[in-house]
Amino acid sequence: MEKVYGVAPGPEHYACMVDLLGRSGRVEEAAHLLEGMSGKPDATVWKALLAACRAHRNAALAERAAERLFELAPADAVPYVMLSNVYSAAGRWGDVARVRSLMRARGASKEPGRSWMEQDGAVHEFRAGERDHERAAEIFAKVGEMMQRIEEEEEHTADTGFALHDEGEEGKAAELARHSERLAVAWALISVPPGKPIRVYKNLRVCGDCHTTLKLVAKAYERTIVLRDANCFHHMREGLCSCGDYW
């Protein structure tokens, strides 16, 4: 960039490089790249590194990236949640509680997860675990059917490392099964005619277990699921996702 085009790389270029290296699993190389920056990395760069650490479960580097983000934006809930996810995946529940406590003390509030979809001119909104929908009984029964079907057909078991509470394996799996995007997809399987794509929107980043689950649901039910989360569009079909399992 500098020698040929005379363009000095800025934080946005480094963030893209960190993302690329993270996608290929070269997390340590991404961290080394930041050390050679001419200026100080901004929040976008550190978030890219933290996301890579979350995907590859590198707790040591995740702690380093999160600490920098705590300094740059102490009231931003995202780095606290992402670091908490890294700890929960490693079974470090004491550290999960510590980060959550720190988050509350600094006034960083996490927006409640919600998903929604439009059907026949009406918007149906779902929040994790809530039973406010008029056909909630059918929706939760369909979630149970979804989970049983992908367990039997695809031998899928819940990745409880993405649960945020230490409630035992069954409790963690039940917590994940109540996530809002699963409720929305369950409703779509009930209400959207076969052959039409299922389109769901979510205000937060989809968790890893929900991502895997919805890919397998798309395959098992022979449907196309388009999930727009806080980070990107996920086009799921035949057990695969357009994001390449990195987001």
Side-chain angles (χ1 to χ4, degrees):
M1 287 174 59
E2 292 183 276
K3 292 180 180 179
V4 178
Y5 297 102
V7 178
E12 66 275 18
H13 302 108
Y14 279 95
C16 288
M17 282 303 302
V18 169
D19 181 72
L20 287 170
L21 291 169
R23 287 175 184 271
S24 60
R26 294 154 64 179
V27 183
E28 296 287 347
E29 188 176 342
H32 183 70
L33 178 69
L34 298 193
E35 295 174 359
M37 281 186 65
S38 55
K40 289 185 178 181
D42 65 6
T44 304
V45 178
W46 287 115
K47 278 185 180 179
L49 181 61
L50 182 54
C53 294
R54 175 179 177 268
H56 299 289
R57 303 191 177 185
N58 187 322
L61 270 179
E63 290 172 337
R64 177 184 166 194
E67 286 297 332
R68 297 297 183 275
L69 286 165
F70 295 161
E71 294 171 3
L72 292 168
D76 184 358
V78 172
Y80 297 91
V81 174
M82 293 178 73
L83 181 60
S84 180
N85 288 341
V86 173
Y87 285 146
S88 62
R92 295 168 57 176
W93 296 105
D95 286 319
V96 171
R98 177 179 59 80
V99 172
R100 294 280 171 170
S101 177
L102 183 64
M103 182 177 170
R104 289 191 296 270
R106 293 179 175 174
S109 59
K110 176 181 177 293
E111 185 180 1
R114 60 188 179 90
S115 298
W116 62 95
M117 60 169 292
E118 185 177 350
Q119 176 67 12
D120 297 329
V123 175
H124 298 264
E125 182 173 297
F126 304 88
R127 295 177 185 271
E130 287 191 356
R131 295 176 177 267
D132 293 340
H133 197 279
E134 60 184 6
R135 295 173 67 179
E138 289 179 75
I139 291 169
F140 277 83
K142 178 62 76 172
V143 170
E145 175 193 297
M146 285 161 42
M147 302 313 298
Q148 182 176 356
R149 187 163 173 178
I150 64 174
E151 181 180 351
E152 293 175 353
E153 295 182 12
E154 305 296 335
E155 299 183 350
H156 172 69
T157 56
D159 185 348
T160 55
F162 288 98
L164 297 179
H165 301 93
D166 189 12
E167 303 173 320
E169 291 303 300
E170 288 188 7
K172 294 174 191 174
E175 174 196 329
L176 293 168
R178 296 191 295 266
H179 280 189
S180 63
E181 55 268 53
R182 301 196 200 194
L183 302 181
V185 168
W187 167 245
L189 289 173
I190 295 171
S191 62
V192 177
K196 287 190 174 183
I198 293 171
R199 303 181 186 276
V200 175
Y201 300 85
K202 183 178 173 66
N203 65 327
L204 304 177
R205 182 191 299 252
V206 62
C207 86
D209 187 62
C210 284
H211 188 266
T212 300
T213 294
L214 296 185
K215 287 194 305 177
L216 296 177
V217 167
K219 180 180 179 181
Y221 287 84
E222 298 182 346
R223 303 294 292 263
T224 296
I225 298 175
V226 181
L227 172 65
R228 174 64 167 104
D229 72 358
N231 208 46
C232 68
F233 277 96
H234 301 268
H235 294 254
M236 301 174 179
R237 186 178 180 185
E238 298 178 352
L240 301 173
C241 182
S242 59
C243 76
D245 299 335
Y246 189 97
W247 66 101

mmCIF file of all heavy atoms in Angstrom, residues 215-242:
data_model
loop_
_atom_site.group_PDB
_atom_site.id
_atom_site.type_symbol
_atom_site.label_atom_id
_atom_site.label_comp_id
_atom_site.label_asym_id
_atom_site.label_seq_id
_atom_site.Cartn_x
_atom_site.Cartn_y
_atom_site.Cartn_z
ATOM 1 N N LYS A 215 -28.124 -24.200 11.080
ATOM 2 C CA LYS A 215 -27.612 -24.817 9.852
ATOM 3 C C LYS A 215 -28.178 -26.232 9.693
ATOM 4 O O LYS A 215 -28.594 -26.634 8.597
ATOM 5 C CB LYS A 215 -26.080 -24.893 9.883
ATOM 6 C CG LYS A 215 -25.357 -23.591 9.694
ATOM 7 C CD LYS A 215 -23.875 -23.823 9.401
ATOM 8 C CE LYS A 215 -23.212 -24.665 10.478
ATOM 9 N NZ LYS A 215 -21.798 -24.951 10.169
ATOM 10 N N LEU A 216 -28.182 -26.976 10.777
ATOM 11 C CA LEU A 216 -28.669 -28.354 10.735
ATOM 12 C C LEU A 216 -30.181 -28.415 10.581
ATOM 13 O O LEU A 216 -30.712 -29.326 9.944
ATOM 14 C CB LEU A 216 -28.225 -29.100 11.997
ATOM 15 C CG LEU A 216 -26.711 -29.257 12.158
ATOM 16 C CD1 LEU A 216 -26.380 -29.950 13.472
ATOM 17 C CD2 LEU A 216 -26.111 -30.031 10.987
ATOM 18 N N VAL A 217 -30.886 -27.447 11.158
ATOM 19 C CA VAL A 217 -32.340 -27.362 10.979
ATOM 20 C C VAL A 217 -32.667 -27.097 9.510
ATOM 21 O O VAL A 217 -33.578 -27.701 8.940
ATOM 22 C CB VAL A 217 -32.940 -26.262 11.887
ATOM 23 C CG1 VAL A 217 -34.381 -25.944 11.473
ATOM 24 C CG2 VAL A 217 -32.899 -26.704 13.341
ATOM 25 N N ALA A 218 -31.905 -26.200 8.889
ATOM 26 C CA ALA A 218 -32.104 -25.912 7.467
ATOM 27 C C ALA A 218 -31.940 -27.184 6.632
ATOM 28 O O ALA A 218 -32.704 -27.432 5.690
ATOM 29 C CB ALA A 218 -31.115 -24.838 7.007
ATOM 30 N N LYS A 219 -30.964 -27.993 7.003
ATOM 31 C CA LYS A 219 -30.720 -29.237 6.274
ATOM 32 C C LYS A 219 -31.821 -30.258 6.541
ATOM 33 O O LYS A 219 -32.362 -30.870 5.606
ATOM 34 C CB LYS A 219 -29.367 -29.813 6.683
ATOM 35 C CG LYS A 219 -29.012 -31.117 5.988
ATOM 36 C CD LYS A 219 -27.653 -31.633 6.449
ATOM 37 C CE LYS A 219 -27.295 -32.949 5.766
ATOM 38 N NZ LYS A 219 -25.976 -33.467 6.239
ATOM 39 N N ALA A 220 -32.166 -30.445 7.814
ATOM 40 C CA ALA A 220 -33.140 -31.464 8.185
ATOM 41 C C ALA A 220 -34.519 -31.184 7.597
ATOM 42 O O ALA A 220 -35.228 -32.102 7.168
ATOM 43 C CB ALA A 220 -33.223 -31.574 9.703
ATOM 44 N N TYR A 221 -34.912 -29.913 7.570
ATOM 45 C CA TYR A 221 -36.246 -29.546 7.080
ATOM 46 C C TYR A 221 -36.232 -29.108 5.619
ATOM 47 O O TYR A 221 -37.272 -28.694 5.097
ATOM 48 C CB TYR A 221 -36.824 -28.429 7.961
ATOM 49 C CG TYR A 221 -37.246 -28.905 9.329
ATOM 50 C CD1 TYR A 221 -36.328 -29.003 10.366
ATOM 51 C CD2 TYR A 221 -38.568 -29.275 9.594
ATOM 52 C CE1 TYR A 221 -36.704 -29.432 11.632
ATOM 53 C CE2 TYR A 221 -38.953 -29.710 10.851
ATOM 54 C CZ TYR A 221 -38.015 -29.788 11.866
ATOM 55 O OH TYR A 221 -38.406 -30.220 13.116
ATOM 56 N N GLU A 222 -35.046 -29.159 4.967
ATOM 57 C CA GLU A 222 -34.894 -28.784 3.575
ATOM 58 C C GLU A 222 -35.430 -27.371 3.329
ATOM 59 O O GLU A 222 -36.222 -27.119 2.415
ATOM 60 C CB GLU A 222 -35.587 -29.795 2.655
ATOM 61 C CG GLU A 222 -34.990 -31.194 2.765
ATOM 62 C CD GLU A 222 -35.652 -32.183 1.819
ATOM 63 O OE1 GLU A 222 -36.730 -31.871 1.270
ATOM 64 O OE2 GLU A 222 -35.094 -33.269 1.624
ATOM 65 N N ARG A 223 -34.953 -26.440 4.168
ATOM 66 C CA ARG A 223 -35.369 -25.048 4.062
ATOM 67 C C ARG A 223 -34.137 -24.150 3.925
ATOM 68 O O ARG A 223 -33.014 -24.545 4.271
ATOM 69 C CB ARG A 223 -36.157 -24.609 5.310
ATOM 70 C CG ARG A 223 -37.391 -25.440 5.612
ATOM 71 C CD ARG A 223 -38.460 -25.296 4.544
ATOM 72 N NE ARG A 223 -39.045 -23.969 4.506
ATOM 73 C CZ ARG A 223 -40.193 -23.641 5.110
ATOM 74 N NH1 ARG A 223 -40.860 -24.550 5.833
ATOM 75 N NH2 ARG A 223 -40.682 -22.417 5.005
ATOM 76 N N THR A 224 -34.351 -22.955 3.411
ATOM 77 C CA THR A 224 -33.319 -21.922 3.398
ATOM 78 C C THR A 224 -33.623 -20.951 4.524
ATOM 79 O O THR A 224 -34.739 -20.426 4.607
ATOM 80 C CB THR A 224 -33.288 -21.165 2.060
ATOM 81 O OG1 THR A 224 -32.933 -22.076 1.013
ATOM 82 C CG2 THR A 224 -32.270 -20.027 2.106
ATOM 83 N N ILE A 225 -32.645 -20.742 5.417
ATOM 84 C CA ILE A 225 -32.809 -19.815 6.528
ATOM 85 C C ILE A 225 -31.847 -18.658 6.321
ATOM 86 O O ILE A 225 -30.643 -18.860 6.167
ATOM 87 C CB ILE A 225 -32.532 -20.508 7.877
ATOM 88 C CG1 ILE A 225 -33.529 -21.645 8.113
ATOM 89 C CG2 ILE A 225 -32.599 -19.493 9.021
ATOM 90 C CD1 ILE A 225 -33.243 -22.455 9.375
ATOM 91 N N VAL A 226 -32.384 -17.445 6.307
ATOM 92 C CA VAL A 226 -31.571 -16.237 6.206
ATOM 93 C C VAL A 226 -31.680 -15.514 7.546
ATOM 94 O O VAL A 226 -32.748 -15.019 7.903
ATOM 95 C CB VAL A 226 -32.028 -15.322 5.060
ATOM 96 C CG1 VAL A 226 -31.124 -14.094 4.986
ATOM 97 C CG2 VAL A 226 -32.019 -16.078 3.742
ATOM 98 N N LEU A 227 -30.585 -15.493 8.268
ATOM 99 C CA LEU A 227 -30.550 -14.831 9.577
ATOM 100 C C LEU A 227 -29.668 -13.601 9.487
ATOM 101 O O LEU A 227 -28.487 -13.698 9.136
ATOM 102 C CB LEU A 227 -30.004 -15.792 10.637
ATOM 103 C CG LEU A 227 -29.720 -15.183 12.020
ATOM 104 C CD1 LEU A 227 -31.005 -14.698 12.675
ATOM 105 C CD2 LEU A 227 -28.994 -16.178 12.912
ATOM 106 N N ARG A 228 -30.229 -12.460 9.804
ATOM 107 C CA ARG A 228 -29.445 -11.217 9.855
ATOM 108 C C ARG A 228 -29.202 -10.889 11.321
ATOM 109 O O ARG A 228 -30.113 -10.509 12.043
ATOM 110 C CB ARG A 228 -30.216 -10.069 9.182
ATOM 111 C CG ARG A 228 -29.531 -8.693 9.321
ATOM 112 C CD ARG A 228 -28.195 -8.698 8.596
ATOM 113 N NE ARG A 228 -27.648 -7.359 8.440
ATOM 114 C CZ ARG A 228 -26.644 -6.847 9.170
ATOM 115 N NH1 ARG A 228 -26.102 -7.572 10.141
ATOM 116 N NH2 ARG A 228 -26.187 -5.645 8.933
ATOM 117 N N ASP A 229 -27.968 -11.103 11.779
ATOM 118 C CA ASP A 229 -27.653 -10.754 13.162
ATOM 119 C C ASP A 229 -26.948 -9.404 13.192
ATOM 120 O O ASP A 229 -26.915 -8.685 12.192
ATOM 121 C CB ASP A 229 -26.858 -11.864 13.854
ATOM 122 C CG ASP A 229 -25.410 -11.973 13.375
ATOM 123 O OD1 ASP A 229 -25.008 -11.216 12.462
ATOM 124 O OD2 ASP A 229 -24.671 -12.816 13.914
ATOM 125 N N ALA A 230 -26.356 -9.044 14.337
ATOM 126 C CA ALA A 230 -25.736 -7.731 14.481
ATOM 127 C C ALA A 230 -24.469 -7.587 13.655
ATOM 128 O O ALA A 230 -23.961 -6.479 13.505
ATOM 129 C CB ALA A 230 -25.430 -7.464 15.952
ATOM 130 N N ASN A 231 -23.968 -8.696 13.105
ATOM 131 C CA ASN A 231 -22.689 -8.649 12.415
ATOM 132 C C ASN A 231 -22.781 -8.845 10.907
ATOM 133 O O ASN A 231 -22.059 -8.207 10.157
ATOM 134 C CB ASN A 231 -21.742 -9.704 13.009
ATOM 135 C CG ASN A 231 -20.294 -9.324 12.871
ATOM 136 O OD1 ASN A 231 -19.901 -8.193 13.142
ATOM 137 N ND2 ASN A 231 -19.484 -10.272 12.433
ATOM 138 N N CYS A 232 -23.657 -9.757 10.454
ATOM 139 C CA CYS A 232 -23.722 -10.031 9.018
ATOM 140 C C CYS A 232 -24.974 -10.832 8.676
ATOM 141 O O CYS A 232 -25.751 -11.217 9.556
ATOM 142 C CB CYS A 232 -22.475 -10.790 8.556
ATOM 143 S SG CYS A 232 -22.351 -12.475 9.197
ATOM 144 N N PHE A 233 -25.164 -11.082 7.385
ATOM 145 C CA PHE A 233 -26.220 -11.982 6.924
ATOM 146 C C PHE A 233 -25.679 -13.412 6.920
ATOM 147 O O PHE A 233 -24.562 -13.660 6.465
ATOM 148 C CB PHE A 233 -26.666 -11.612 5.505
ATOM 149 C CG PHE A 233 -27.670 -10.500 5.451
ATOM 150 C CD1 PHE A 233 -27.255 -9.198 5.226
ATOM 151 C CD2 PHE A 233 -29.024 -10.754 5.625
ATOM 152 C CE1 PHE A 233 -28.173 -8.167 5.166
ATOM 153 C CE2 PHE A 233 -29.948 -9.730 5.564
ATOM 154 C CZ PHE A 233 -29.526 -8.428 5.338
ATOM 155 N N HIS A 234 -26.488 -14.333 7.407
ATOM 156 C CA HIS A 234 -26.145 -15.757 7.375
ATOM 157 C C HIS A 234 -27.164 -16.457 6.467
ATOM 158 O O HIS A 234 -28.351 -16.541 6.805
ATOM 159 C CB HIS A 234 -26.215 -16.375 8.776
ATOM 160 C CG HIS A 234 -25.305 -15.731 9.772
ATOM 161 N ND1 HIS A 234 -24.019 -16.182 10.019
ATOM 162 C CD2 HIS A 234 -25.488 -14.668 10.596
ATOM 163 C CE1 HIS A 234 -23.458 -15.420 10.945
ATOM 164 N NE2 HIS A 234 -24.323 -14.498 11.315
ATOM 165 N N HIS A 235 -26.700 -16.939 5.318
ATOM 166 C CA HIS A 235 -27.566 -17.683 4.407
ATOM 167 C C HIS A 235 -27.292 -19.172 4.640
ATOM 168 O O HIS A 235 -26.233 -19.682 4.266
ATOM 169 C CB HIS A 235 -27.270 -17.302 2.955
ATOM 170 C CG HIS A 235 -27.604 -15.880 2.627
ATOM 171 N ND1 HIS A 235 -28.707 -15.525 1.876
ATOM 172 C CD2 HIS A 235 -26.996 -14.717 2.964
ATOM 173 C CE1 HIS A 235 -28.753 -14.207 1.758
ATOM 174 N NE2 HIS A 235 -27.718 -13.698 2.412
ATOM 175 N N MET A 236 -28.243 -19.852 5.245
ATOM 176 C CA MET A 236 -28.052 -21.252 5.645
ATOM 177 C C MET A 236 -28.881 -22.181 4.760
ATOM 178 O O MET A 236 -30.080 -21.973 4.572
ATOM 179 C CB MET A 236 -28.458 -21.446 7.109
ATOM 180 C CG MET A 236 -27.668 -20.570 8.071
ATOM 181 S SD MET A 236 -28.293 -20.691 9.765
ATOM 182 C CE MET A 236 -27.151 -19.601 10.625
ATOM 183 N N ARG A 237 -28.198 -23.198 4.265
ATOM 184 C CA ARG A 237 -28.864 -24.167 3.393
ATOM 185 C C ARG A 237 -28.050 -25.446 3.352
ATOM 186 O O ARG A 237 -26.817 -25.385 3.293
ATOM 187 C CB ARG A 237 -29.010 -23.588 1.984
ATOM 188 C CG ARG A 237 -29.825 -24.452 1.036
ATOM 189 C CD ARG A 237 -29.951 -23.778 -0.317
ATOM 190 N NE ARG A 237 -30.735 -24.592 -1.238
ATOM 191 C CZ ARG A 237 -30.931 -24.288 -2.515
ATOM 192 N NH1 ARG A 237 -30.393 -23.186 -3.018
ATOM 193 N NH2 ARG A 237 -31.652 -25.077 -3.281
ATOM 194 N N GLU A 238 -28.721 -26.581 3.443
ATOM 195 C CA GLU A 238 -28.088 -27.902 3.341
ATOM 196 C C GLU A 238 -26.941 -28.070 4.341
ATOM 197 O O GLU A 238 -25.918 -28.686 4.033
ATOM 198 C CB GLU A 238 -27.597 -28.150 1.909
ATOM 199 C CG GLU A 238 -28.733 -28.156 0.896
ATOM 200 C CD GLU A 238 -28.254 -28.358 -0.530
ATOM 201 O OE1 GLU A 238 -27.024 -28.344 -0.746
ATOM 202 O OE2 GLU A 238 -29.097 -28.546 -1.422
ATOM 203 N N GLY A 239 -27.092 -27.500 5.513
ATOM 204 C CA GLY A 239 -26.096 -27.667 6.569
ATOM 205 C C GLY A 239 -24.906 -26.746 6.479
ATOM 206 O O GLY A 239 -23.957 -26.884 7.249
ATOM 207 N N LEU A 240 -24.926 -25.787 5.541
ATOM 208 C CA LEU A 240 -23.813 -24.862 5.360
ATOM 209 C C LEU A 240 -24.295 -23.435 5.538
ATOM 210 O O LEU A 240 -25.480 -23.145 5.422
ATOM 211 C CB LEU A 240 -23.191 -25.032 3.970
ATOM 212 C CG LEU A 240 -22.643 -26.426 3.635
ATOM 213 C CD1 LEU A 240 -22.213 -26.470 2.170
ATOM 214 C CD2 LEU A 240 -21.501 -26.796 4.561
ATOM 215 N N CYS A 241 -23.346 -22.529 5.827
ATOM 216 C CA CYS A 241 -23.664 -21.116 5.971
ATOM 217 C C CYS A 241 -22.731 -20.266 5.129
ATOM 218 O O CYS A 241 -21.542 -20.581 5.000
ATOM 219 C CB CYS A 241 -23.580 -20.681 7.436
ATOM 220 S SG CYS A 241 -24.019 -18.934 7.701
ATOM 221 N N SER A 242 -23.263 -19.199 4.593
ATOM 222 C CA SER A 242 -22.476 -18.311 3.730
ATOM 223 C C SER A 242 -21.317 -17.659 4.456
ATOM 224 O O SER A 242 -20.347 -17.218 3.828
ATOM 225 C CB SER A 242 -23.385 -17.225 3.146
ATOM 226 O OG SER A 242 -23.993 -16.468 4.191
#
